[in-house]
Amino acid sequence: MFFNRIGAIACCAIIFSVNAFSQSKELNVKFGDVKPDDFKPQAYTIDSSADAVYLYDMGSCKYEGNTEGWFSIVFNVHERIRLMHKKSFDDLATVKIPFVQDEAKVEDLKAATYNYKDGSVVVSALDKKSFFTDKDGKYKIIKFTYPDLQEGSIVEYTFTMRAPIYYGHEFIPDWNFQSYYPHLWSQYTIEVPQFFDFVTLRQGYLSPLLDTSSASADNFHIVIQHGAEASDNVSIRSNTIKHTWVYKDVPALKDENFITDLDNYKQSVQFQLSAHRFPDEAPEYFMHSWPETIDQLMKADYFGADINKENAWLKDDIKTAANGETDPLKKAQKIYESVRDNYTCTDYSSWYLSQSIKKTEQLKKGNVADINMLLVAMLRNAGYDANPVMLSTRDHGKTYDVYPLLDRFNYVIVQVNVNDKSYLLDAADPLVGFGQLDEDCYNGNARLVASTPVLIDLSADSLHESETTSLFLANGDDGEITGSYKCTMGQIQSIDLREKLKKSSQDDYFKDVKKSFAFDVDLSNEGIDSVRQPDMPAAIHYDVSFKPADDIVYFNPMFPTDAYKKNPFESAERFYPVEMPYCMDETYILNMEIPKGYKVDELPKSARVSLNENEGMFEYLIQENNGYIQMRCHTKLNKANFEPEDYETLRKFFGFIVEKENEQIVFKKNS
């Protein structure tokens, strides 16, 4: 029955294969087959400014039986690259091949540099003495550097890695079809026995030239040793699934504004062992469900075992932290603040404990998991419903909601329920308040580690930031204009400002503010409120004075620290989504007395535009009334993430904002 079902699936794959191959086919480039014509292009149409271009990039992986009683993988790599400019030498002149010590063997390693001289191809091949081996933990790394490099050189290497695998630890190497240089051709083929069930995880925005699979019947010969001399030769017959992906003319990855992690969009394929499905046997699963994974985590010493204990030794710490407070919410806040303010985070990228929570309490330091799991234990001991929450930060990449792939996570926070309301806490970050998280935590869904492991929405679309700025200007003595400025920031901007002030003083901050003006101003009574109160929004305030002297004065009603000076979306096209850190709501209000002795010669026009109907709006309202100018500028985005097809609209929207916010009032001296 098992093989009948597989046969039906394979049939569908073979039909697809025929259709795919009618349009294209795999390439089989031979090592060393470099011709003079390969040097003719002075640039490549895929990217005329590229410092290097992958001409050919091939990988393959297949399974074979071995003499150690199970299977081995045979992994082959062949890369050929044209180095157009010297800038690429730093990245590509030296190759590093990692492999597991004593388990894997690298065979048939060859490398060469090719240059074109006097009408022929000159080959500089590396001999065995040019390959060096280093150690890095459990890995060995073979390194070599290409010789005789020139601008325009072609370099090439190939190798085969053969590695035994063990029962329940079968794997397929991942493959990247894309890098920071363009690829003219990237190809990956895998051949895997049917009874190994892998989940295939593909990412990227490109369509393959070829995506085909087929099935064939194979025999796998395995030698099982019995003592020093006896052995059995076993033959296992199975369908083998062969799958090939080909991508042609793959553009280079290029960093853009508002990208969480560029690797999220790298064209790649990854694999995760899901199950063994042998004939006449019940499937054996290796990828567990989320409830099963959570249950294992909460029993593991490296994660939840400590917080499930009574931990009576924490009672004194809790009593000291609470300081007699009995209100449930205020008491929880005090416990949180006690951990946040008295513990030092040594590593902000870890989802598992580096030590017991008791040792964390003794040392007053640990990684992010150590500190926040201690907070869970304290809150539980104090009678609260508290649980860990796992997530991936914005610079670490996306998690998978369906599959419990734990290496996708790198951060732990806390959820506590107080008076029927849930709060998310991060005691590892000294700059955030109760119920707040830094923007880096807003990266899609987080996972509650509890009996019901629900998803928690931490998308940037769920984070709304409000900023309000007010500026009042009036006529002072001797023709001066004096006024007051105040900007009340949102949660994330407040955190960013506090982070900045850890590295510089408020005096330095206001020196930079003064330098930002295009004319001479005097600042006084400068200050920043709530710098040391993370639960409160930060607020910048100062008094300002300046004196217009020319007959014609050009004045931007928006101060330079508040106006967009340039469009944050400069590229003409974009292949990746726009991932802003939060939804914005910025309001700027000006109330200005017309300078004494002047009149308004030109005033910007009011305007209002919408972004994709209800996804955002920009409003610029300005008028002259009874000797005063009133202006209100309001920018609002109701979402933070935009698909590539929305990019041009978003770019034009911000282009309009930049144009309006840099328009000036023209004051002309009375005659």
Side-chain angles (χ1 to χ4, degrees), residues 365-384:
K365 64 181 180 180
N367 67 32
V368 58
D370 295 326
I371 292 173
N372 280 324
M373 292 294 272
L374 173 64
L375 176 60
V376 171
M378 291 181 69
L379 290 168
R380 286 187 174 187
N381 199 281
Y384 293 94

Side-chain angles (χ1 to χ4, degrees), residues 95-201:
V95 177
K96 298 179 181 180
I97 304 170
F99 62 100
V100 179
Q101 293 184 27
D102 303 325
E103 295 182 8
K105 294 181 180 179
V106 174
E107 305 168 349
D108 302 324
L109 175 58
K110 295 182 286 187
T113 302
Y114 307 91
N115 290 301
Y116 183 68
K117 187 176 181 181
D118 299 330
S120 61
V121 178
V122 179
V123 183
S124 300
L126 277 76
D127 57 26
K128 291 183 178 180
K129 295 180 180 178
S130 300
F131 301 121
F132 302 94
T133 302
D134 286 341
K135 291 184 178 181
D136 183 6
K138 67 177 182 178
Y139 290 98
K140 283 185 179 179
I141 299 175
I142 294 178
K143 296 195 301 185
F144 61 88
T145 299
Y146 292 110
D148 304 325
L149 291 182
Q150 304 170 18
E151 288 193 336
S153 293
I154 293 175
V155 295
E156 179 180 40
Y157 77 93
T158 184
F159 69 87
T160 298
M161 183 183 297
R162 195 178 305 272
I165 52 179
Y166 302 101
Y167 189 94
H169 296 276
E170 294 82 9
F171 71 96
I172 303 172
D174 301 338
W175 188 258
N176 295 320
F177 301 96
Q178 194 172 23
S179 70
Y180 290 93
Y181 299 96
H183 292 234
L184 300 187
W185 189 277
S186 187
Q187 173 178 313
Y188 192 42
T189 298
I190 62 171
E191 298 179 63
V192 183
Q194 186 67 65
F195 40 72
F196 296 140
D197 192 354
F198 285 90
V199 171
T200 302
L201 307 171

Side-chain angles (χ1 to χ4, degrees), residues 313-352:
W313 52 272
L314 282 172
K315 291 192 179 295
D316 288 341
D317 285 351
I318 296 168
K319 184 177 180 181
T320 300
N323 194 27
E325 183 61 66
T326 57
D327 178 81
L329 181 57
K330 292 180 180 178
K331 183 177 179 180
Q333 289 172 334
K334 285 185 173 293
I335 294 171
Y336 162 75
E337 290 168 0
S338 175
V339 177
R340 180 196 65 192
D341 298 341
N342 293 291
Y343 287 76
T344 301
C345 185
T346 57
D347 181 2
Y348 283 97
S349 183
S350 181
W351 64 263
Y352 51 86

Side-chain angles (χ1 to χ4, degrees), residues 469 471 556-559 588-592 604 606 619-623 628-634 660-661 663 665:
T469 302
L471 175 62
N556 189 333
M558 296 196 70
F559 269 12
Y588 182 95
I589 298 171
L590 168 72
N591 195 337
M592 177 183 187
S606 295
E619 187 177 61
Y620 186 102
L621 303 176
I622 190 168
Q623 66 176 355
Y628 283 85
I629 294 172
Q630 285 95 28
M631 190 266 275
R632 182 177 185 270
C633 185
H634 185 198
K660 289 301 296 181
E661 291 190 350
E663 290 183 352
I665 303 170

Side-chain angles (χ1 to χ4, degrees), residues 393-574:
T393 54
R394 286 171 70 88
D395 60 355
H396 184 256
K398 302 289 187 182
T399 61
Y400 284 93
D401 294 344
V402 178
Y403 305 116
L405 307 180
L406 296 181
D407 61 345
R408 297 279 176 165
F409 296 86
N410 74 321
Y411 210 82
V412 177
I413 58 174
V414 180
Q415 184 195 70
V416 62
N417 298 308
V418 187
N419 298 333
D420 298 323
K421 184 176 179 180
S422 292
Y423 299 87
L424 296 176
L425 313 176
D426 183 7
D429 190 336
L431 301 179
V432 302
F434 186 88
Q436 298 179 2
L437 300 174
D438 186 74
E439 66 183 82
D440 203 34
C441 293
Y442 287 85
N443 187 38
N445 286 324
R447 180 69 65 170
L448 180 68
V449 185
S451 55
T452 304
V454 298
L455 294 171
I456 297 175
D457 181 13
L458 283 181
S459 64
D461 287 339
S462 71
L463 179 60
H464 295 261
E465 279 281 285
S466 295
E467 178 189 85
T468 302
T469 302
S470 58
L471 175 62
F472 298 92
L473 297 173
N475 291 317
D477 298 331
D478 301 325
E480 272 197 331
I481 295 176
T482 63
S484 61
Y485 171 98
K486 185 173 183 179
C487 175
T488 302
M489 296 181 163
Q491 168 191 321
I492 300 301
Q493 292 168 310
S494 297
I495 293 170
D496 291 343
L497 179 60
R498 291 182 181 111
E499 184 67 40
K500 183 175 182 178
L501 292 175
K502 285 171 60 177
K503 302 171 185 176
S504 63
S505 66
Q506 290 194 30
D507 287 342
D508 291 333
Y509 179 86
F510 285 105
K511 284 179 183 177
D512 290 338
V513 171
K514 185 173 181 178
K515 289 178 183 177
S516 68
F517 285 88
F519 52 91
D520 290 334
V521 298
D522 289 322
L523 304 184
S524 59
N525 300 320
E526 309 100 317
I528 302 177
D529 300 331
S530 305
V531 173
R532 303 187 187 282
Q533 296 172 284
D535 291 284
M536 300 294 291
I540 300 166
H541 62 83
Y542 56 84
D543 293 338
V544 61
S545 64
F546 56 94
K547 187 173 183 177
D550 298 329
D551 290 344
I552 298 178
V553 174
Y554 296 90
F555 178 77
N556 189 333
M558 296 196 70
F559 269 12
T561 52
D562 298 278
Y564 284 92
K565 295 299 182 185
K566 64 179 183 178
N567 195 330
F569 305 105
E570 295 179 324
S571 299
E573 61 179 354
R574 183 173 177 126

